[in-house]
Amino acid sequence: MGHGSSGRRAAPPDAPTPPSSPVPRGALLRRAGRVWSEVAKFGAVGGAGLLVNLLVFNLVRHITDLQVVRASVIATIVSIVFNYVGFRYFTYRDRDKSGRTRELTLFLLFSAVGLVIENGVLFLATYGFGWDSPLQSNVFKFLGIGIATLFRFWSYRTWVFRALPGQGAGGETGHGAGLEAGPETVAYAESYLRAESKKPRPKAFR
């Protein structure tokens, strides 16, 4: 009858065997490589920004009488400017460059949140626990930077430096983010359609 017990029509006898659907390992590896490349570039810029942050922090504390958290805020602001240039023109230079006003606004917004996280840790250590020696201040400054960096990485890549249309979060292009139909699948579909067109149809459909 051409119909199985489940009501689904069986494939014609001369139809080719459909190819298996292997996991697109090549596409996954390319995507993983792009993500790791992004992480490495983000880490390079972030590491340089960390050095700028700590150097400015200790310099301000050495040459001024500002309180530790105020000196830290100044250092964070300097590092934010440094990081924007590095992220825009190195880490995410291939991302969407339209809407710079929006991009800069979101960058400053999320950077401000990161600033609060970073210096909140230092504030708690200094005024909450009385850990305010130069060594302790640098340790908790570093810890605050680390926690804030996790937030910045997520927010910058997700909201600020957007992927171009048709480009995945890891930089891959094409529909399905690189999960494209291979030539075997296309060939099978064409062969199946040809076999279907040659099958005799019931009289009601002639």
Side-chain angles (χ1 to χ4, degrees), residues 23-45:
V23 177
R25 296 179 61 185
L28 292 177
L29 289 175
R30 287 193 299 272
R31 183 172 185 177
R34 293 186 185 101
V35 172
W36 279 114
S37 176
E38 178 185 344
V39 171
K41 291 178 180 179
F42 188 96
V45 175

Side-chain angles (χ1 to χ4, degrees), residues 67-91:
Q67 297 177 351
V68 59
V69 175
R70 293 182 182 180
S72 177
V73 169
I74 293 174
T76 303
I77 293 173
V78 173
S79 69
I80 286 174
V81 176
F82 175 88
N83 286 341
Y84 178 77
V85 175
F87 291 143
R88 174 71 272 176
Y89 297 102
F90 179 66
T91 306

Side-chain angles (χ1 to χ4, degrees), residues 2-166:
H3 292 273
S5 59
S6 63
R8 298 175 62 185
R9 185 168 59 183
D14 54 345
T17 302
S20 59
S21 300
V23 177
R25 296 179 61 185
L28 292 177
L29 289 175
R30 287 193 299 272
R31 183 172 185 177
R34 293 186 185 101
V35 172
W36 279 114
S37 176
E38 178 185 344
V39 171
K41 291 178 180 179
F42 188 96
V45 175
L50 169 65
L51 293 178
V52 170
N53 199 333
L54 293 176
L55 286 174
V56 174
F57 172 60
N58 285 280
L59 179 63
V60 171
R61 291 202 68 194
H62 180 71
I63 65 176
T64 70
D65 296 325
L66 288 176
Q67 297 177 351
V68 59
V69 175
R70 293 182 182 180
S72 177
V73 169
I74 293 174
T76 303
I77 293 173
V78 173
S79 69
I80 286 174
V81 176
F82 175 88
N83 286 341
Y84 178 77
V85 175
F87 291 143
R88 174 71 272 176
Y89 297 102
F90 179 66
T91 306
Y92 299 112
R93 65 178 181 272
D94 58 338
R95 295 295 180 91
D96 187 7
K97 295 181 177 62
S98 63
R100 283 296 180 89
T101 301
R102 174 189 177 278
E103 175 187 287
L104 187 56
T105 301
L106 289 176
F107 180 84
L108 293 176
L109 174 63
F110 290 119
S111 294
V113 176
L115 182 148
V116 172
I117 295 173
E118 175 183 330
N119 293 284
V121 173
L122 182 61
F123 181 91
L124 181 63
T126 302
Y127 299 106
F129 296 94
W131 297 330
D132 57 355
S133 70
L135 177 60
Q136 290 171 331
S137 295
N138 278 278
V139 167
F140 286 100
K141 171 73 172 173
F142 182 84
L143 179 62
I145 292 174
I147 297 174
T149 296
L150 297 178
F151 169 79
R152 287 168 179 148
F153 178 73
W154 168 80
S155 60
Y156 291 168
R157 77 188 303 268
T158 304
W159 299 102
V160 181
F161 303 105
R162 299 178 301 171
L164 292 168

